[in-house]
Amino acid sequence: MGRGGRQQVAARVPSRRAQLEELGTGRRRGGPRLNKLSFSDFRQSLRHHGRLRLRWFDWRRRAAVFSRSNEPGALRRIYVINLDRRPDRWQRVRRELDRFRDRHGERLSGIARRFSAVDARYLEAAPDPTVLVPRFTLADQLTVDPNPLLRIDDEARAREIRMTKQEVAVALSHIEVWKLIANGDVSCALVLEDDVFMTYGFARDLETTWSSLTPTGADQPDFDLLYLAFDEVGNASATQDRDQARKLRQPGIWEAAAYVLSRDGARKLLDATPVYGPIDLWLNMQFGRLRAFTAARPLIEQRIDEPSTNSYSVMPVLAQLGVITREKPLLPRTKRLHGPVVAVGDQGSGLTALAGALSMLGYSCCSDLDRLPAVEQSRLLRGERGRLFNAYVNIGSLSFEALEQIGKASRSARFITTSADQVLPPTVRDRVLRLTPEVKDKWAALSEFLDIDYPAFPYPTDRDLGRRALSQRAPLKSARKLTELKSDRGPWILRPRRDWSGIALDRDPASPASLVRVDWAAGDTLENAAWRLRDDTFPSNMALFRPANVRQLRGQALLTLRHEQTPVRALTSGAIASTASYRYGRFKAEIRPSGVPGLITGMFLHRNGPRQEIDVEFIGKDPSKMLVNVFYNPGPEGTKLEYGYRGTPTLVDLGFDATADFHTYEIDWLPNTIRWLIDGEVVYERMTWDPTPIPNRPLQFNLNLWHSRSSELAGTLASAALPASASLRSIEILRNAGSASDELVDLVGASPAGHS
């Protein structure tokens, strides 16, 4: 039935506060920290499930605060913000509410109203600027959640952060509910997101909180906003009495998953619009104009066991600034998928885009070939185990007869055609989806057909590649000793097998004449339109990059790592990056790496959203080897697939000490192949699915010197050897004209010398 890739990618995204706690607030690999972080996650999950179970032992089910009758002081309305595509969550919230009865013994779901949430997947235009401005500043973030490593200064006030589409959709949903309350017939309403549960003691403690906010002799509680779900951060003052509500005078509260909003409070919030930034952050800024309170403790909590597609815009910024000091391994969580899936159709009907979509759903998808490798085809036709893939798109050897045989051999097989007039075997007609170009919402059709959740990502729009011809893989002329290191596991990484070395395709087409060179040589200035000096960091890097640590001296550029105390790191170093991103090309540099244990000299191509990366790294503890690596996540621009912890690393034995002299190191990145060269000689290469697909999105070229948090990877830092430097004599990018990030034109380069 194939390999363990028959699974749908999913991920639990914890709250913003939980993410910061997991990652620490003090690049890529973390080695021994994996077990520690996993244990932390286990304890958090165990406590959460304990609270979920404990609530069933709560005997107090009469929530006297609620009533459907028009009575003084009653909470008469509940709004549940719920996506149209998640009726399961709406039903679950109704069941949760029905654990309780109002003051007259009626189920709470009787006063619940479902609000159709704004869906981030369909947000195309920018929001109305009179309602929501989709940006905020680092200073806003620090006002709510101060960090001892950062200051609220002019730089923080000037650093703008763009909201994610998910944050925009959440904010717009809450604003629309405020309008319902402001213009409604009830004095206040409980607003819930659809992933919450009521904790043990909910009914009892809500009644106590409600009473504490009702002045003597008054019929109605006196507040504008009452948080029932919240995370305390910043300057929020502790309650003096565990039974009393707490008045909020300063920012310091995260979450907007459950709160009671009065009619007056809703009108005040709407009068204060436009909202700036995420909704829970902006609400903190309104405490001065609102009578805002929290319960003495969170009476409602968000579930953490529910797969989420939320995305927090501030997290990458905090990582770059060095506030996040640990990197939590981000690996796919998956569930079983139907399959194998076989897709056929005419050229130009969207087959390559469909292959990308299936990959984004978590399939290991083999596509756009004239034929399958013989062993894979045989196992597919016979319905045998041991297949490498579980989705096959536009494969020439899968004829009408082959499709019929697959359908008979595997009752779980699914078939997709992208052409309206495609003839398929009658024996599989009850397992066919016609996904023609006329289908407007292809995700909806795929989701229903494959019985999966509707994805949060944009559907790919790649043009069809056509069927590419398989060929024999030629041996390298200069074979080096290789050591395969432990890789990540996931749907886009094939497990090692002796009979598999990737998919070799006919030679990439010859290079066009219009090649453009982007280069730097000693003596030229590095800070120009093509290059920039980095002033950020990443979680696994124990040094902060600073432009001052890149110096040009005696015919070379030095990247220097030194002891220098900053608010976020005790070390600083140097890094260079291209200002543009490129899709395919030759990327080379003359480098003499640092040989100090604990340091890594890097030359690599990288992007996020989706994360893709091609690496050359020199490990200071063993300068006789070069580490090469590839990270791959599928999807079009903006796809929040960032999986990868170890990647797919391989150590290449150099046969010399890289720190003794300069050598030219090169990444030759082609649509079907990646080759690594030293002084013009190919020393290592990877083909498609060897073990990952070839990265296919624009990447930025980087060179840096950094200290890894993982001593397992880089060795223990030899502090006495600092300052230490890596030296550069030249950098060169050879790309196709128009292949920079603004024009995604493939560069198809000629085979370099030394490869047969």
Side-chain angles (χ1 to χ4, degrees):
M1 302 299 291
R3 61 189 292 274
R6 299 179 56 207
Q7 304 165 324
Q8 180 189 0
V9 172
R12 176 188 66 80
V13 180
S15 69
R16 182 190 343 237
R17 183 63 176 174
Q19 283 198 26
L20 288 172
E21 289 174 349
E22 288 175 354
L23 296 172
T25 50
R27 168 169 116 131
R28 293 176 289 197
R29 306 169 186 85
R33 299 193 321 282
L34 177 59
N35 292 335
K36 180 179 178 181
L37 286 170
S38 298
F39 183 62
S40 174
D41 285 349
F42 172 75
R43 288 187 301 177
Q44 181 189 22
S45 178
L46 190 64
R47 289 194 298 266
H48 175 76
H49 284 285
R51 290 193 296 273
L52 278 173
R53 291 180 180 275
L54 180 63
R55 79 194 202 282
W56 291 105
F57 296 96
D58 186 3
W59 62 270
R60 180 77 176 269
R61 301 295 179 92
R62 179 66 63 89
V65 168
F66 296 93
S67 174
R68 67 175 61 195
S69 302
N70 188 11
E71 300 173 90
L75 185 50
R76 298 170 48 207
R77 184 67 45 80
I78 302 172
Y79 287 107
V80 179
I81 299 174
N82 170 248
L83 289 165
D84 292 342
R85 55 184 164 82
R86 294 308 304 267
D88 56 319
R89 286 193 177 190
W90 166 237
Q91 293 302 323
R92 188 174 64 190
V93 171
R94 285 176 58 89
R95 290 194 299 270
E96 184 69 13
L97 291 172
D98 282 346
R99 293 199 301 115
F100 301 93
R101 300 292 188 269
D102 69 9
R103 63 179 62 171
H104 301 294
E106 301 290 336
R107 296 174 184 268
L108 289 194
S109 63
I111 61 172
R113 303 290 183 268
R114 177 183 173 274
F115 176 80
S116 179
V118 177
D119 197 330
R121 293 167 185 173
Y122 305 117
L123 280 179
E124 299 296 338
D128 181 347
T130 65
V131 175
L132 173 66
V133 177
R135 62 179 181 271
F136 60 108
T137 69
L138 179 60
D140 296 330
Q141 167 76 20
L142 296 176
T143 298
V144 177
D145 195 354
N147 190 291
L149 303 180
L150 299 176
R151 295 180 300 173
I152 299 178
D153 53 18
D154 290 343
E155 186 175 345
R157 295 184 187 95
R159 182 150 193 163
E160 281 197 348
I161 303 171
R162 301 287 301 184
M163 293 169 65
T164 65
K165 290 178 69 173
Q166 290 86 354
E167 288 173 328
V168 170
V170 169
L172 292 175
S173 298
H174 281 267
I175 293 169
E176 290 303 312
V177 171
W178 298 348
K179 293 177 182 178
L180 294 177
I181 298 171
N183 300 314
D185 59 353
V186 295
S187 60
C188 58
L190 172 61
V191 181
L192 298 177
E193 294 182 355
D194 63 3
D195 58 348
V196 298
F197 68 95
M198 281 63 175
T199 63
Y200 183 92
F202 166 75
R204 177 198 63 213
D205 292 348
L206 177 59
E207 188 171 343
T208 302
T209 299
W210 203 257
S211 298
S212 73
L213 291 171
T214 305
T216 303
D219 293 330
Q220 193 69 27
D222 184 22
F223 68 87
D224 293 319
L225 174 65
L226 171 61
Y227 285 95
L228 301 184
F230 54 90
D231 272 337
E232 301 176 60
V233 295
N235 298 312
S237 57
T239 54
Q240 300 300 313
D241 188 322
R242 68 182 183 88
D243 295 327
Q244 298 295 311
R246 167 183 47 183
K247 179 76 167 70
L248 294 172
R249 294 179 173 83
Q250 293 179 302
I253 296 294
W254 284 135
E255 284 196 31
Y259 57 89
V260 182
L261 185 64
S262 72
R263 185 191 293 121
D264 287 344
R267 291 170 178 172
K268 290 177 183 178
L269 291 176
L270 293 172
D271 287 343
T273 55
V275 170
Y276 286 81
I279 201 69
D280 54 349
L281 181 146
W282 185 79
L283 282 173
N284 278 265
M285 307 305 181
Q286 311 311 309
F287 291 166
R289 72 178 74 206
L290 297 176
R291 294 165 297 164
F293 296 83
T294 73
R297 67 170 183 87
L299 305 183
I300 299 176
E301 292 186 20
Q302 284 185 291
R303 302 178 70 104
I304 68 170
D305 56 348
E306 175 71 24
S308 171
T309 56
N310 202 0
S311 176
Y312 298 112
S313 53
V314 74
M315 302 304 288
V317 175
L318 296 180
Q320 292 169 5
L321 292 172
V323 172
I324 295 176
T325 56
R326 297 199 304 270
E327 186 173 34
K328 186 178 187 297
L330 185 57
L331 303 174
R333 294 186 177 191
T334 54
K335 68 178 184 180
R336 289 183 65 84
L337 291 170
H338 293 292
V341 174
V342 182
V344 296
D346 297 329
Q347 174 72 13
S349 61
L351 288 164
T352 299
L354 172 59
L358 291 171
S359 293
M360 294 163 69
L361 295 175
Y363 282 92
S364 301
C365 184
C366 184
S367 67
D368 298 308
L369 301 176
D370 65 343
R371 57 188 168 88
L372 279 179
V375 173
E376 187 74 9
Q377 172 117 352
S378 174
R379 288 173 175 165
L380 175 61
L381 296 183
R382 296 171 183 270
E384 295 176 347
R385 295 180 179 273
R387 288 183 287 106
L388 289 165
F389 303 97
N390 53 21
Y392 307 84
V393 176
N394 193 29
I395 306 297
S397 58
L398 297 183
S399 61
F400 181 95
E401 292 75 19
L403 298 181
E404 189 170 35
Q405 190 172 345
I406 293 168
K408 291 178 180 178
S410 177
R411 291 300 303 169
S412 63
R414 297 289 187 272
F415 300 87
I416 302 173
T417 175
T418 55
S419 301
D421 57 355
Q422 181 80 42
V423 178
L424 295 173
T427 54
V428 303
R429 65 180 55 176
D430 60 335
R431 292 178 278 164
V432 174
L433 170 66
R434 293 196 178 272
L435 198 70
T436 63
E438 291 72 33
V439 175
K440 298 299 183 184
D441 192 341
K442 291 182 171 58
W443 276 139
L446 271 177
S447 299
E448 182 178 358
F449 180 64
L450 298 174
D451 189 26
I452 58 174
D453 294 335
Y454 192 111
F457 319 118
Y459 191 86
T461 57
D462 304 79
R463 64 178 182 268
D464 279 357
L465 291 175
R467 291 174 180 164
R468 300 164 294 173
L470 264 64
S471 67
Q472 292 294 319
R473 183 168 185 171
L476 294 179
K477 289 182 177 179
S478 177
R480 302 292 176 104
K481 181 182 177 181
L482 305 176
T483 304
E484 303 293 342
L485 303 182
K486 187 174 182 179
S487 294
D488 291 329
R489 296 177 65 176
W492 314 300
I493 302 173
L494 298 185
R495 296 183 185 181
R497 260 181 27 182
R498 290 185 178 181
D499 62 347
W500 184 260
S501 58
I503 297 175
L505 302 174
D506 272 355
R507 286 166 54 93
D508 289 293
S511 297
S514 56
L515 290 176
V516 175
R517 188 184 306 274
V518 179
D519 59 7
W520 167 86
D524 298 338
T525 179
L526 264 169
E527 287 190 278
N528 54 40
W531 309 101
R532 69 183 181 92
L533 307 183
R534 300 194 73 101
D535 58 353
D536 53 17
T537 188
F538 47 86
S540 294
N541 181 13
M542 297 297 290
L544 176 68
F545 295 132
R546 284 193 161 180
N549 289 322
V550 180
R551 296 182 301 135
Q552 294 179 242
L553 185 68
R554 295 189 295 274
Q556 56 190 283
L558 300 179
L559 310 181
T560 301
L561 189 144
R562 67 181 75 250
H563 291 291
E564 182 181 0
Q565 187 64 51
T566 73
V568 295
R569 296 289 194 272
L571 302 168
T572 64
S573 190
I576 302 167
S578 63
T579 55
S581 296
Y582 304 93
R583 189 183 185 203
Y584 309 127
R586 296 184 186 177
F587 304 83
K588 65 174 72 175
E590 282 186 275
I591 304 174
R592 184 170 62 197
S594 170
V596 174
L599 301 190
I600 297 175
T601 305
M603 182 185 95
F604 60 98
L605 294 144
H606 175 269
R607 68 164 294 121
N608 283 318
R611 182 184 182 184
Q612 297 186 359
E613 186 170 340
I614 306 171
D615 291 349
V616 168
E617 291 183 318
F618 301 94
I619 312 302
K621 68 178 182 180
D622 187 357
S624 68
K625 295 181 175 62
M626 176 176 76
L627 182 74
V628 302
N629 206 345
V630 174
F631 292 78
Y632 178 85
N633 288 264
E637 184 76 27
T639 301
K640 293 298 182 182
L641 287 174
E642 312 289 350
Y643 296 116
Y645 178 56
R646 297 181 179 90
T648 55
T650 299
L651 278 176
V652 179
D653 197 313
L654 297 174
F656 58 84
D657 182 350
T659 65
D661 202 353
F662 285 92
H663 293 272
T664 300
Y665 302 93
E666 179 177 350
I667 298 170
D668 186 15
W669 174 31
L670 302 165
N672 304 325
T673 312
I674 305 172
R675 300 185 180 105
W676 286 262
L677 297 86
I678 301 175
D679 296 328
E681 183 177 54
V682 178
V683 297
Y684 183 67
E685 67 177 1
R686 289 190 184 181
M687 306 297 181
T688 298
W689 284 109
D690 175 24
T692 69
I694 300 296
N696 60 350
R697 299 299 173 202
L699 306 179
Q700 187 182 55
F701 190 37
N702 289 265
L703 299 105
N704 63 17
L705 178 64
W706 58 290
H707 169 37
S708 173
R709 188 179 297 276
S710 171
S711 58
E712 180 184 42
L713 171 67
T716 302
L717 178 64
S719 296
L722 301 185
S725 298
S727 305
L728 307 173
R729 274 204 309 222
S730 67
I731 310 171
E732 181 178 276
I733 300 172
L734 195 64
R735 65 174 178 85
N736 186 27
S739 72
S741 57
D742 56 336
E743 294 183 65
L744 306 187
V745 179
D746 295 352
L747 170 66
V748 281
S751 297
H755 184 265
S756 58

